[in-house]
């Protein structure tokens, strides 16, 4: 690891079998930690799938402006309630670099980017989409749950050649009070206009995950694993 590569984040890992053939890197939301989505694994994984390695990184602890500067796990500072300027772009890019380092580690462990799925909820989903835009070596897919594309004004310039080959699963709650449904719809529309294949779902829920959504994610996984 050279001086330009960020230190690897602390992660919780779970393998569904020996010698995993695929990796799933899953980013938690604001104020949570890597444990947040560990219970999802047995609900999501199907018996006939190949062995998967789930990697649940812990975001760094930092002050969050809209929470009165209280320090908590966050992928970036949230500086404004306005979605167009909500995300601290420097923090987003730092988290993208940390995610890229985790993807590189999977390659070193024998799982290429083409067999890595990057997922995230809320703030973690925003980093997932931001990282996906910049991927020159496409991942197997991107999952953004109850989230939005940060810094939409600079997204066009950030889009890497070939990034749109990555399939995307996005889902949102109709009653989401944290990230409005319209923000998710606009982000999915932007991605489609940029050439991404976006599988979009809406559920009668607030800022959360529901059982029907997990089934849909599993169906989407099934297609990704079959294609790989």
């Amino acid at each position: 690891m050279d001086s330009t590569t960020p230190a690897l984040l602390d992660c919780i890992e779970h393998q569904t079998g020996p010698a995993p053939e695929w990796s799933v890197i899953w980013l938690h939301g604001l104020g949570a930690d890597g444990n947040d989505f560990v219970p999802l694994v047995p609900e999501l994984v199907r018996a006939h799938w190949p062995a998967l390695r789930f990697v649940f990184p812990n975001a760094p602890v930092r002050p969050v402006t809209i929470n009165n500067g209280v320090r908590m796990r966050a992928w970036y500072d949230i500086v404004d309630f306005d979605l167009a300027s909500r995300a601290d772009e420097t923090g987003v890019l730092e988290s993208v670099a940390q995610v890229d380092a985790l993807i590189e580690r999977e390659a070193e462990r024998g799982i290429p980017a083409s067999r890595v799925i990057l997922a995230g909820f809320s703030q973690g989903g925003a980093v997932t989409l931001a990282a996906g835009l910049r991927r020159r070596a496409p991942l197997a897919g991107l999952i953004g749950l109850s989230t939005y594309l940060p810094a939409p004004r600079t997204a066009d310039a950030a889009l890497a050649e070939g990034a749109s080959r990555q399939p995307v699963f996005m889902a949102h709650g109709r009653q989401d009070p944290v990230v409005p449904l319209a923000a998710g719809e606009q982000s999915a529309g932007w991605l489609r206009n940029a050439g991404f294949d976006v599988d979009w779902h809406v559920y009668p829920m607030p800022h959360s995950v529901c059982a029907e959504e997990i089934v849909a994610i599993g169906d989407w996984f099934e297609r990704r694993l079959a294609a790989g």
Side-chain angles (χ1 to χ4, degrees):
M1 183 177 294
D2 62 38
S3 60
T4 63
T5 304
L8 284 174
L9 294 168
D10 177 48
C11 299
I12 297 162
E13 293 192 0
H14 177 86
Q15 292 186 185
T16 63
E21 300 174 36
W22 294 74
S23 291
V24 182
I25 300 173
W26 204 299
L27 310 182
H28 61 75
L30 176 67
D33 63 23
N35 291 291
D36 203 30
F37 281 90
V38 173
L40 177 140
V41 174
E43 297 181 44
L44 175 66
V45 172
R46 300 176 183 177
H48 61 278
W49 287 359
L52 309 175
R53 177 187 295 122
F54 284 84
V55 179
F56 299 100
N58 290 304
V61 175
R62 69 182 82 212
V64 176
T65 299
I66 64 164
N67 287 346
N68 298 315
V70 173
R71 294 177 61 82
M72 61 186 65
R73 292 201 180 276
W75 296 107
Y76 51 85
D77 187 17
I78 298 178
V79 297
D80 198 318
F81 287 104
D82 179 6
L83 282 166
S85 56
R86 175 180 290 194
D88 156 38
E89 290 190 49
T90 299
V92 170
L93 293 178
E94 288 172 354
S95 288
V96 167
Q98 290 172 318
V99 167
D100 284 343
L102 292 175
I103 294 169
E104 180 59 32
R105 181 177 65 168
E106 292 310 296
E108 293 167 358
R109 296 200 281 187
I111 299 179
S114 61
R115 288 195 166 209
V116 173
I117 292 172
L118 179 60
F121 175 79
S122 193
Q123 207 190 43
V127 171
T128 292
L129 298 180
L133 287 186
R134 293 164 170 81
R135 289 297 305 178
R136 296 189 181 278
L139 303 176
L142 308 169
I143 299 174
L145 307 179
S146 302
T147 194
Y148 64 100
L149 179 65
R153 289 188 292 263
T154 58
D156 282 323
L159 183 61
E161 183 178 354
S164 63
R165 297 202 300 269
Q166 299 167 113
V168 180
F169 180 100
M170 291 185 72
H172 219 100
R174 283 195 185 91
Q175 295 85 35
D176 192 330
V178 179
V179 180
L181 174 61
E185 290 174 332
Q186 290 166 7
S187 297
W190 188 97
L191 290 166
R192 284 198 179 108
N193 289 338
F196 288 84
D197 177 11
V198 181
D199 191 356
W200 169 255
H201 297 256
V202 178
Y203 299 100
M205 64 180 184
H207 195 63
S208 60
V209 176
C210 66
E212 185 182 357
E213 181 180 12
I214 294 171
V215 172
I217 295 170
D219 292 342
W220 183 86
F221 259 83
E222 188 94 31
R223 296 193 292 275
R224 304 287 75 74
L225 298 174

